[in-house]
Amino acid sequence: MTRYEEIAKRICDADAVLIGASNGLSISEGLHIFAEDQAFGDIFGDFKERYGLYNILSGLLARWPSQEAKWAFLSRLIGHYSIGYTGSPVMDQIRDIIGGRPYFVVTSNGECHFELAGYDPDSIYEIEGSWGEMQCARGCHDLRYPVFPLIPKMAAAEKDCKVPSALVPRCPKCGGEMRLGTSDEKAQQRCQDFIGKYHGKRLLILELGIGWRNQLIKAPLMDLVQREPHAVYITVNKGEIYIPDVIREKSYGLDGDVTDVLKLLSDTVKEERCVCG
Ligand SMILES: [Zn+2]
């Protein structure tokens, strides 16, 4: 039995799947928020020149001179990477690995690709917030509002790195500024409920593109693997595989390009499923 066949067998045996995903998965789909690269220059060259932005993250964290400029950047960003997103092979491969089992996704990626690729929105926890929602920046009330329906109009009207003032989203209660959605407590609760439900069961934890130092997702997932006697942990990352000794027996580290590893893994799982049903 090859190593991939062994892993595929463990996947077939699982009762439920918990996916943890971070930047490395987005990169495999062509979205690299840290990269100071040609793609950033091609899409945001004018913002780079005018506001000194050097990557997507610097735009997400920028102190904008106006809401018109902020929403010009956001509408182009979201228009390109979320509204224009039509799924990817890795999203299909993850679905193949899940194979109809109950699942939950915890991700630090905010671009909504799981949801846009057809995953259940109630089974996703975007731990660092979401580009698909906005809320009152001063927090006068907790309600979240959808962002995507506003984007095409803003993106079309954007000129000289600004959107018209009339299109700038405002808080319906206080009239103040809106910001992109922060981490959602309800989604966090759903995540905890999922973990509680599969306590003691064969929970497969599939970690995708998360750096070894990550405290936000990786550290809690490794703690969960340690606590759960029947958990299986699969960590996929390029060049950075970290598995502590205490969970080594129930862990598999797959070092390589996320796209390549997922392709091989999902193909092996499909073959295995033919054998084990
Ligand atoms: Zn408000």
Side-chain angles (χ1 to χ4, degrees), residues 230-247:
H230 305 299
V232 176
Y233 178 56
I234 302 171
T235 172
V236 181
N237 204 8
K238 193 173 185 177
E240 280 189 13
I241 293 292
Y242 172 61
I243 297 169
D245 283 341
V246 67
I247 57 168

Side-chain angles (χ1 to χ4, degrees), residues 135-142 145 170-178:
Q135 59 193 98
C136 175
R138 72 170 71 126
C140 82
H141 69 301
D142 291 337
Y145 300 87
R170 295 278 168 196
C171 172
K173 291 251 160 76
C174 73
E177 295 172 4
M178 297 295 271

